[in-house]
Amino acid sequence: MKKASQCVLCQSKIKEDNLGIVVLGKCICADCEQKITHLAGDDPAYDFYKGGLKKIWFNEA
């Protein structure tokens, strides 16, 4: 069994064999990856995901 990880955006538990993407060693679940790829700039969730991705890039997550 693979080690479970946690999505840095939604905090859900995910398995390594079912990751969405890994950015700088941080896991993003497939659900969040899907939401990000279909997100428009005027979407109410845009700021949430933008903030989460910034935390990864600035090593705050």
Side-chain angles (χ1 to χ4, degrees):
M1 179 181 230
K2 298 272 185 173
K3 177 184 161 191
S5 297
Q6 189 173 14
C7 176
V8 297
L9 299 176
C10 69
Q11 308 304 313
S12 67
K13 298 285 183 194
I14 50 179
K15 293 181 182 176
E16 288 185 16
D17 61 347
N18 195 23
L19 290 178
I21 55 176
V22 178
V23 178
L24 298 175
K26 306 293 183 185
C27 302
I28 297 175
C29 71
D31 290 337
C32 286
E33 176 190 11
Q34 183 75 12
K35 290 174 186 171
I36 289 168
T37 58
H38 292 91
L39 198 61
D42 61 350
D43 191 302
Y46 181 84
D47 288 332
F48 169 77
Y49 289 105
K50 182 175 81 171
L53 293 171
K54 279 184 177 181
K55 288 179 182 178
I56 294 171
W57 287 109
F58 294 107
N59 204 22
E60 297 171 6

